[in-house]
Amino acid sequence: MGNIDPIDTNDAKIYLKRIVEQMTHEQIKDCLERDRAYAKEIKKKITALEDIYAYKTFEQWLDIEKITVKPMFEFPSCITLKTKAL
């Protein structure tokens, strides 16, 4: 499947082992015949799980104020139009 940053290789192997252990003999046979399709779907699932984890972690860090949000943008006091308004 290649490298899946930032997932540790050992964690990926454990996840793949769990997937394969739940497969039937026919599913394993199909997986071996269409390995690229399976790899693509597994990577897609891992990415979705990463996104969920990142969102939950971000929300938790906001709650405990590990992350703070500060206003950084200000509108200019005067706006000059580049063309005439009609």
Side-chain angles (χ1 to χ4, degrees):
M1 281 189 15
N3 194 19
I4 307 172
D5 286 331
I7 303 297
D8 180 66
T9 303
N10 289 329
D11 290 339
K13 286 179 182 179
I14 291 167
Y15 184 69
L16 288 171
K17 183 179 177 187
R18 284 184 16 216
I19 291 171
V20 173
E21 286 174 347
Q22 296 175 16
M23 289 180 164
T24 65
H25 178 72
E26 290 300 316
Q27 288 172 323
I28 292 172
K29 184 179 173 184
D30 186 53
C31 179
L32 293 172
E33 291 172 1
R34 300 182 317 120
D35 59 335
R36 291 180 189 209
Y38 274 80
K40 182 179 177 182
E41 288 303 312
I42 292 169
K43 281 184 178 183
K44 194 164 46 169
K45 179 64 176 181
I46 290 172
T47 300
L49 292 170
E50 281 181 311
D51 290 345
I52 292 167
Y53 176 79
Y55 180 79
K56 286 180 180 179
T57 302
F58 180 76
E59 291 287 315
Q60 290 171 348
W61 286 7
L62 282 176
D63 289 342
I64 63 172
E65 296 183 1
K66 190 171 183 176
I67 296 175
T68 57
V69 180
K70 298 177 184 176
M72 301 295 287
F73 180 81
E74 292 182 21
F75 284 105
S77 58
C78 178
I79 297 174
T80 306
L81 298 176
K82 292 184 180 184
T83 59
K84 293 182 181 180
L86 300 175

